[in-house]
Each structure stands twice: as C-alpha cells, then as structure tokens.
Amino acid sequence: MSTFPQSEPKDRPARLAVGVVGAGRVGPALAAALQLAGHRPVAVSGVSDASRRRAAQLLPDVPLLPPAQVLERSELVLLTVPDDALPGLVEGLAETGAVRPGQLVAHTSGRYGARVLDPVLRAGALPLALHPAMTFTGTAVDVQRLAGCSFGVTAPDELRLAAEALVIEMGGEPEWIAEESRPLYHAALALGANHLVTLVAESMELLRAAGVEAPDRMLGPLLGAALDNALRSGDAALTGPVARGDAGTVAAHVAELREHAPQTVAGYLAMARATADRALAHGLLKPELAEDLLGVLADGADGTQGTEGDTR
C-alpha cells in the first residue's frame, strides 16, 4: 500500500506524466515527490531485483518498462543512472527515436550539467540538470528528506524557471550552478558528504577496538555539535590537538593507528595536514608550534615514529 496520496488528473490539469529511467535510490523518490505535487508517474525502468523492489514500494502500480517505452509514455523523463552511464544512455535514447520535441528530459547527475543532454536536445527535447544534494536510502524516508534539500540546477536560460519550479514542487530549494562549475560543485559535495561517511565509519571501528560498546551513541552528540559549529563558524570552529599544536598527542595518535589500524594512517595524516594549514591561516595554530607539528606529520608519512614529545 502506498504511503503517498494519489492525485486525480482532473484535479491537476496542468500536471505532467513522469517517467523514470533507472530505478536506483534516487529516481523513485523524486517521482514519488512529484506525485505528491500532483504529477503522474506513468512508467519506470529497472533491471535489478533491488531496483524493482524500490519501484514497487515507492511507485506502486506504475509499470516497469524498457527505457524507450518509458520515454514514449512520458512528458517529463528523469534519467537517474550513475554518472559514468549517463552519456551513453542519452546517446542511446536519442538514437532510438523515442525522444519527442517538447519533452522535458532531466538528469540527476551532480557531475554533469545540461550539455550532456545535447543528443536529446537535437531531437527537440528540453534539457534539465537537477541534482539533489542529498544522500538516498532507497526508502520512503528519502521523500521526506527532500523537504528543504538544495538542488544543483543547470539548464538553458529559457528553461530556468521550469527547472526551478520542478525543484520547488519536490520540496527542494533550487541553487543555480553554471555549466562549467558542475565538476567543482560535485567534488565539493563528495568531499563533504561521501568522505564524512568514511571518516565516521573509521572512527566507530576504532572506538570499538578501544572497548567502547556504543560508538554511535558516543559520536552522535560530538559530531552533531562539530557539524553545527562548522556550518556556523567555518574555520573558527576548529578544535583538537592539531589546531592547538599538540605535536606529542598527534605523534601518539599516528603510532597507535599504525599499530592497530594501519589503513587509516594515510587519511589521518592528510586530514591533519589540511587542518594544520587552515588553523595556521586562521590564526588558531601558533607558528612556533606549527613547526614541531608539521615535523611529526612528515615523520608519520615517512613511517617513522617522531618520538620527540611522544606522550605514550
């Protein structure tokens, strides 16, 4: 049973028939959000069992069809496939002749702008790049998380209002990204979100190794406060041994990590160097302490212990 209300076409005469090509974690959630705004999901393509289950959960009674047939039924097509697969998919769809003049074709890749849709543009379609800056689970919770979510929007000037309107209808906030800035925009999001997951997972593993029974409960308040402080204050929120210039503590960290979790050493050193640079530039790290700290980090990278000042 769907948790999303169905809208009758007669109640929303200007609504669009929506198709999804690629029933990963993103596509069904966006189509379900558009359904809440009164649009009509009419077809989904999905190959794996997982994608079919997602489509059945979020878009019940919407038929699963091959991509070309999805386009035939749709006025708005969402291309929600991995970045590397997108150019080939676009070219293939254009070659099938399924693209119609005036059809809205939107992809959700962060990496690409509207230019990747040039093959369907030549067939008369209207290209939109609508990237939700959100991590997706493939469940109904994703639809709720879209409320207030920023979308990176890129489109021809004449379609800007249409692109922004679709984002707003999904509950999101449009943020205009220039075509040439899309790779940098996407790199920034990956640096913050994807690497955050890796850092948190590694931190939890180390806490378990140290005997902490509930690392998630320990980290939750700490990381929540750190994130809030960082978003509010930027570099002024830096704390910890690197920002203070505690070279001995950092040396002890590196030695312990090398012994118990050697796979984390390179990441720790890289982040510590970046933190030191930012703390120094912001006036938090005193120059007279920075020299010893950077020496410890250099020794750590070389595989030596940097024992001077080691507090173990």
Side-chain angles (χ1 to χ4, degrees):
M1 174 92 45
S2 172
T3 58
F4 307 110
Q6 300 291 320
S7 297
E8 294 295 333
K10 62 179 175 18
D11 296 330
R12 302 291 186 102
R15 302 295 86 185
L16 299 170
V18 180
V20 178
V21 177
R25 297 181 179 183
V26 178
L30 297 188
L34 287 168
Q35 187 176 40
L36 286 173
H39 298 285
R40 296 177 295 108
V42 294
V44 181
S45 74
V47 177
S48 69
D49 291 340
S51 66
R52 291 172 180 269
R53 286 194 299 270
R54 278 189 289 266
Q57 178 188 8
L58 292 172
L59 302 171
D61 303 322
V62 176
L64 281 159
L65 298 172
Q69 292 184 31
V70 172
L71 265 70
E72 290 173 2
R73 295 186 174 208
S74 306
E75 296 164 309
L76 167 62
V77 183
L78 301 177
L79 305 182
T80 57
V81 297
D83 290 353
D84 287 352
L86 181 62
L89 172 66
V90 172
E91 291 192 10
L93 290 174
E95 290 172 359
T96 66
V99 179
R100 302 191 307 276
Q103 189 172 42
L104 289 165
V105 178
H107 74 72
T108 59
S109 166
R111 171 185 172 187
Y112 293 106
R115 198 168 297 145
V116 71
L117 296 173
D118 280 353
V120 297
L121 174 63
R122 289 191 289 270
L126 307 177
L128 310 173
L130 309 175
H131 175 250
M134 178 57 62
T135 182
F136 287 78
T137 65
T139 65
V141 71
D142 296 333
V143 183
Q144 301 169 12
R145 287 178 173 173
L146 287 174
C149 167
S150 292
F151 278 65
V153 177
T154 306
D157 288 343
E158 61 271 20
L159 296 177
R160 178 167 180 162
L161 290 179
E164 292 177 344
L166 285 171
V167 169
I168 291 170
E169 287 190 311
M170 286 186 280
E173 296 286 342
E175 185 73 37
W176 194 255
I177 308 295
E179 179 79 33
E180 63 274 13
S181 297
R182 293 290 291 206
L184 179 61
Y185 152 80
H186 196 225
L189 294 179
L191 183 66
N194 303 151
H195 296 176
L196 176 63
V197 174
T198 301
L199 290 171
V200 172
E202 288 186 346
S203 180
M204 290 176 66
E205 289 174 356
L206 292 169
L207 287 172
R208 289 192 190 97
V212 175
E213 293 184 359
D216 54 342
R217 188 167 66 237
M218 178 176 283
L219 285 174
L222 172 64
L223 297 185
L227 177 59
D228 184 64
N229 290 342
L231 292 174
R232 290 174 183 270
S233 304
D235 287 333
L238 285 171
T239 63
V242 173
R244 290 191 300 267
D246 291 340
T249 299
V250 172
H253 288 177
V254 174
E256 290 296 313
L257 293 177
R258 197 174 297 283
E259 179 178 353
H260 296 286
Q263 73 281 2
T264 68
V265 172
Y268 179 95
L269 291 171
M271 291 304 299
R273 282 193 294 270
T275 300
D277 289 343
R278 300 188 76 89
L280 190 59
H282 201 73
L284 298 173
L285 175 59
K286 297 178 180 179
E288 61 269 24
L289 298 177
E291 185 175 355
D292 286 344
L293 175 67
L294 294 174
V296 166
L297 296 177
D299 289 344
D302 292 337
T304 56
Q305 291 216 355
T307 54
E308 183 177 348
D310 195 335
T311 59
R312 289 188 303 155

